[in-house]
Each structure stands twice: as C-alpha cells, then as structure tokens.
Amino acid sequence: MDNAPQYVIEMLHITKEFPGIKANDDITLQLKKGEIHALLGENGAGKSTLMSILFGMYQPEAGEIRKEGKQVTINNPNDATALGIGMVHQHFKLIEVFSVLDNIILGAEDTKLGFLQKKEARRKVMELSQRYGLKIDLDAKVEDISVGMQQRVEILKMLYRDNEILIFDEPTAVLTPQEIDELMQVMKNLTAEGKSILFISHKLNEIMSVADRVTVLRKGKYIGTVETKSTDKQALSNMMVGRPVQLEVTKTEAKPQDVVLAVENLHVPSKLHKKDAVQGVSFQVRAGEIVCLAGIDGNGQSELVYGLTGLEKCSQGKITLCGEEISHASIHKRLKNLGHIPEDRHKHGLVLDFSLEQNLVLQRFQEPKFQKHGFIKKDAVRAYAELLIEQYDVRSGQGPITVARSMSGGNQQKAIIAREVDRDKPLIVAVQPTRGLDVGAIEYIHNQLVAERDKGKAILLVSLELDEVMSLSDRILVLYEGEIVGELDPKKTNVQELGLYMAGAKKTEKGGDGA
C-alpha cells in the first residue's frame, strides 16, 4: 500500500470482543478526504461497534488507527473531538429540557473571564445552519421538536466543534422520506466543503444515491470495499447477507373474509394541539388482508394506533374487534385478540433491563404453560425463548439470558415481532415493523406478515417506507392531518400519486370506509 497519506482515516486490523461475541474480527477501513464512505452490514454485523472505537467509546483488543498516515490513540470521545472526529449516534445524545442552542454548545462553551459568550456562539451556529442548509429554531426546547430536527441539532453540534471527519450512525432510521432527501443533500454539501463522512446504513437506495464507496461487514468480518458506481443493490445485498436476497415481496392475491376490526368515526385527542390528532376516521380490516395506513409522519398515525391499542383514550367513536366493542376496554382485554408491534420499541416494545427470554413471554407468563401456582416455570420459558430465537434468527451475545438493552436495534425489533406474531391473535397491528432492519431481516418479516395474512389474520400496517407500502399492502388508506383522504389499490396507483395524497394535494370524495 502506498504510504502517502491519501487516507484521512485508516482503521487497520481492528478486533473487538464482548462476552460471547467477536463484534469486530480483523477489520480494515480506509476513508479518503472528501468522500462519503458507507459502512454496510446486517443488524449486529459490527458496524456501530467499529465506529464507536473510532469515536473513543470502546478500545479494541488489536489493531491501530491512523489519521493522515500517523498512528493515533483515541481513549475517549474528547480525544476523538480533538482529532476532528464527530459522531451522530443512532439514539441521539441530547438533553430534552435544554434549548437547541444550549445542546449545541454544551461541552464546547466559549467563555470570557468565566462568562458564557452566548451571543458569539449563536452567531456561529446561525452561520453554520445557513451555510449547510440546516434550518432550525435555536430557542426551541429539544423535547418540543421533531426527530428530524433533533438530528439537525446533532449535526450542528459536530460542525460547531469544527469536526472534519463526520460519522453518521444509521441517520435515516427515524426520518420521513422528505427528511431523508434533505439529509442526503446536507451530506453532499458537507463533502463539497472538504469534510469526510462515514455513513453507517443498511438502506441500499440511500447508499447507492450518496456514497462514493462502500465497505461491507458480515458477522463481524470484513467482506470487501467496492465503488458504488461499479456495483448494484442486488450485488451489495448478496455481499451483506451471504446469499441472494429477494428485494421484492412475492404474494398471491388477497382473499378477504369477515371483518375483524371496524373503526367508526374515531377521534383521538392530540397532546400538542387543541384540535384532535385523529378526526372522524372510519375503516375496516378483514381477515386475510393487509391494510396499510400511509402518510407523512405526524399526521395522526401514532395517535390512531394508540387509540386502537388503548395507550390513549379516544374522545369519540367506536372500535369493534372480533364482534366485540372495545372502545373503552382495558389494554389487557384488547390484547386478547390483538398483536401489537409498536412504533417505539424502547418505550412500548421491551423492558430493556429484562432478559430476552423474559421479554418474549411478557404477555403470556400467566398461561399454565409458563407458570404453576404463581411460580414461573423457568425451563418452559427458556425452551420457548430458544425456539423463537432460532425461528426468527434473533442474534445476541448470550442467547435467552442476554439483557435486551445490549442487543442491536434490529435484533430487538426481531424479538418483538417474534413475540407478537407467535401470540397468534386475529389482528396484528404492525407499526413500522421493518424500521432499522437490514435487507435480509426485512425479507423475512415481509414473508412472515404475508404468511399470517394467508392464514386468515387481519393485518393493519403503518409504514413510512413508500416501497414497503406499495409492495406489502392489499389496500392503502392515506392519512393526512388526522383524516383519511384516500383509499388506493396498490396495483392501480404509483408512488407519485401516493405522494400527492400524503402531502394533502389530492383527496377522494369518500375515502376509507373499507366497503
């Protein structure tokens, strides 16, 4: 290899182990100045671990890091910052009750004689936000702004510290399609200014659209580095998963049967505004069909699901599930006939400090199969957990006894899906079931949902991924500002038309009665 510092960062032969798992096994990654270099791999392939080593959060057992050809030691994030390395984490590191400006300057405050120079800081942040097209309200509290805006705060935090090497860890996992397009543009603007970007992702569309080169990891090992212009999505997915992956959903025509879920004139209050988040929504989901609620994030999808599952009280309207009215029933009673894959896996999906096996029996531990006279049958729980782990390929360091918090986001998601599908209820409400998952896991989960549909389950899917909406749904209901503005047949529409409905530019006279 040429010794001239053509690479701004080199990670050579990096090895990192955790209990029961070799997260990085002899990995080499080289970043050129001014490029967007994608790091691609399945959930749990070791991508975040490798970047956390570069940012000083972990120390490797073997290997070295060089900056511009010179070996460097990074013991903690302060060392990384001093070397001009910044990171936007998958789960943001922001203080919710602080303002945007205070979050940006925290830890890098400009003082004069012990006094904070906030005016100067504000000027610098405003200049950065204009230069890179990162519009933001500096005085808003972080808890009051959208996830896309929070991400801008994280990016401005890096730029405020004059970082030259920027690490984005799964930056689009929680963004809407519009925000993703904006972020891609921001990344291009940054490299045009001479910054160098490492971009962790498993979304092939995004990698093909912005990255110059891609390094692929699989199960902790280095598979190869390729230029995006000389590869394609199918080749990358094969490198990443180690086998050909179906990128399209294959399914037969739906055969809808009886109505399982009927919603009439439902209103759900909003926590943010005076008007209801869901306004007079009516629709039906039948056994043997996948009905998708599509819409741009923040148009009432979350509140509608909360109303159905009992996480929020409905102010008006009627919900009938399997012939029984449940509008005011307890969550426990609703779950008798309902499987729920929630939007926020940390808040509503898992007890993070419980083990994987405890999480897998959360709603079922009272069943005779798992308890006797109030005592949990540990062997039965362990055997059941092992069965689901095997069936759904849930990867973790210590199998059933792994603490849920320590698992990768994608594997946490697989665990929730395994639990909810296996409960075998007539209705499955799946909210963004493939958020944060790689192509292999998405293929598996799509196939599972189609198989459940074919067994006669009713499936209500909520998704922001337009490709997923188009390929998985049998019917599409579009939500805009809390109302259903259209009912579309995925076979007779296209992404452009769907986008117009989602943006509120198009509306049918009578959408969404499900008749």
Side-chain angles (χ1 to χ4, degrees), residues 320-479:
T320 310
L321 179 59
C322 299
E324 188 181 355
E325 193 187 335
I326 57 158
S327 317
H328 304 292
S330 66
I331 294 179
H332 188 66
K333 192 171 177 191
R334 294 177 199 225
L335 289 177
K336 269 195 344 201
N337 291 313
L338 170 81
H340 178 209
I341 299 161
E343 175 179 21
D344 187 331
R345 54 181 169 244
H346 286 176
K347 208 175 191 173
H348 299 132
L350 297 165
V351 181
L352 289 171
D353 293 315
F354 278 17
S355 66
L356 176 53
E357 63 185 1
Q358 288 170 322
N359 273 290
L360 289 172
V361 294
L362 269 186
Q363 292 119 313
R364 305 185 62 173
F365 62 88
Q366 299 103 327
E367 294 176 17
K369 182 175 164 186
F370 297 120
Q371 62 92 22
K372 192 174 185 180
H373 307 313
F375 289 95
I376 300 274
K377 296 181 183 173
K378 287 192 174 157
D379 292 348
V381 170
R382 176 74 42 93
Y384 175 68
E386 280 171 349
L387 186 77
L388 286 191
I389 288 167
E390 170 77 20
Q391 208 180 327
Y392 286 78
D393 188 26
V394 182
R395 297 180 196 173
S396 62
Q398 296 165 287
I401 61 168
T402 309
V403 175
R405 188 183 294 282
S406 70
M407 291 162 58
S408 75
N411 283 299
Q412 292 174 346
Q413 186 74 358
K414 282 200 240 178
I416 294 169
I417 288 166
R419 178 184 73 207
E420 296 303 319
V421 169
D422 202 71
R423 286 177 56 231
D424 205 23
K425 302 301 176 191
L427 173 69
I428 297 175
V429 178
V431 189
Q432 306 218 53
T434 58
R435 171 184 270 182
L437 295 186
D438 57 67
V439 282
I442 289 172
E443 173 197 46
Y444 181 77
I445 280 152
H446 283 170
N447 290 341
Q448 283 295 114
L449 290 173
V450 171
E452 291 303 303
R453 177 201 79 165
D454 294 344
K455 279 187 210 162
K457 301 280 172 66
I459 295 177
L460 180 63
L461 170 74
V462 179
S463 177
L464 300 173
E465 301 276 348
L466 295 188
D467 294 348
E468 181 168 76
V469 173
M470 293 297 287
S471 60
L472 205 52
S473 322
D474 300 311
R475 280 194 296 133
I476 302 170
L477 304 176
V478 184
L479 261 186

Side-chain angles (χ1 to χ4, degrees), residues 12 43 61 106 242 275 387 408:
L12 307 172
N43 304 117
E61 269 79 45
L106 187 65
K275 64 177 190 173
L387 186 77
S408 75

Side-chain angles (χ1 to χ4, degrees), residues 3 11 14 18 64 122 135 141 144 205 207 234 239 246 254 280 289 302 341 356 367 376 401 427 445-446 479 487 494:
N3 277 339
M11 301 185 77
I14 300 288
F18 294 109
E64 63 173 274
R122 176 181 288 269
K135 292 189 191 68
K141 279 192 177 168
D144 297 330
N205 292 346
I207 284 178
Q234 195 63 59
M239 281 176 80
Q246 269 181 301
E289 70 170 346
S302 302
I341 299 161
L356 176 53
E367 294 176 17
I376 300 274
I401 61 168
L427 173 69
I445 280 152
H446 283 170
L479 261 186
E487 176 169 340
N494 56 36

Side-chain angles (χ1 to χ4, degrees), residues 152-435:
R152 291 183 175 193
V153 179
E154 285 278 17
I155 296 169
L156 283 165
K157 234 163 84 173
M158 291 197 298
L159 298 174
Y160 184 76
R161 285 157 180 70
D162 301 324
N163 292 145
E164 293 297 315
I165 295 134
L166 313 178
I167 305 167
F168 288 84
D169 185 1
E170 301 277 359
T172 62
V174 289
L175 301 186
T176 66
Q178 284 77 359
E179 287 171 332
I180 290 171
D181 291 343
E182 286 166 14
L183 176 69
M184 298 290 136
Q185 193 50 55
V186 166
M187 286 166 74
K188 287 175 179 166
N189 296 350
L190 290 166
T191 49
E193 295 262 344
K195 310 269 187 204
S196 310
I197 293 179
L198 281 162
F199 169 40
I200 303 181
S201 181
H202 44 235
K203 292 189 179 175
L204 298 169
N205 292 346
E206 292 166 12
I207 284 178
M208 293 303 290
S209 73
V210 295
D212 300 300
R213 293 191 302 148
V214 188
T215 291
V216 182
L217 305 185
R218 184 164 78 235
K219 292 185 178 170
K221 289 187 161 55
Y222 172 80
I223 303 297
T225 301
V226 291
E227 296 203 357
T228 42
K229 60 176 184 283
S230 59
T231 187
D232 60 35
K233 287 198 294 192
Q234 195 63 59
L236 286 175
S237 65
N238 290 4
M239 281 176 80
M240 170 174 161
V241 184
R243 62 175 174 80
V245 176
Q246 269 181 301
L247 298 175
E248 299 292 318
V249 178
T250 49
K251 63 183 176 49
T252 54
E253 197 67 34
K255 300 180 183 66
Q257 310 287 316
D258 301 338
V259 172
V260 172
L261 174 71
V263 174
E264 294 167 59
N265 190 31
L266 195 69
H267 288 255
V268 183
S270 164
K271 286 187 165 168
L272 296 175
H273 314 287
K274 287 202 168 65
K275 64 177 190 173
D276 289 346
V278 177
Q279 301 170 37
V281 163
S282 300
F283 65 93
Q284 297 178 338
V285 188
R286 294 179 167 85
E289 70 170 346
I290 297 175
V291 174
C292 180
L293 280 173
I296 295 166
D297 202 13
N299 277 276
Q301 303 95 315
S302 302
E303 289 85 355
L304 178 53
V305 170
Y306 294 164
L308 293 176
T309 53
L311 289 170
E312 286 283 338
K313 284 190 166 50
C314 305
S315 52
Q316 201 181 322
K318 187 174 165 190
I319 307 166
T320 310
L321 179 59
C322 299
E324 188 181 355
E325 193 187 335
I326 57 158
S327 317
H328 304 292
S330 66
I331 294 179
H332 188 66
K333 192 171 177 191
R334 294 177 199 225
L335 289 177
K336 269 195 344 201
N337 291 313
L338 170 81
H340 178 209
I341 299 161
E343 175 179 21
D344 187 331
R345 54 181 169 244
H346 286 176
K347 208 175 191 173
H348 299 132
L350 297 165
V351 181
L352 289 171
D353 293 315
F354 278 17
S355 66
L356 176 53
E357 63 185 1
Q358 288 170 322
N359 273 290
L360 289 172
V361 294
L362 269 186
Q363 292 119 313
R364 305 185 62 173
F365 62 88
Q366 299 103 327
E367 294 176 17
K369 182 175 164 186
F370 297 120
Q371 62 92 22
K372 192 174 185 180
H373 307 313
F375 289 95
I376 300 274
K377 296 181 183 173
K378 287 192 174 157
D379 292 348
V381 170
R382 176 74 42 93
Y384 175 68
E386 280 171 349
L387 186 77
L388 286 191
I389 288 167
E390 170 77 20
Q391 208 180 327
Y392 286 78
D393 188 26
V394 182
R395 297 180 196 173
S396 62
Q398 296 165 287
I401 61 168
T402 309
V403 175
R405 188 183 294 282
S406 70
M407 291 162 58
S408 75
N411 283 299
Q412 292 174 346
Q413 186 74 358
K414 282 200 240 178
I416 294 169
I417 288 166
R419 178 184 73 207
E420 296 303 319
V421 169
D422 202 71
R423 286 177 56 231
D424 205 23
K425 302 301 176 191
L427 173 69
I428 297 175
V429 178
V431 189
Q432 306 218 53
T434 58
R435 171 184 270 182

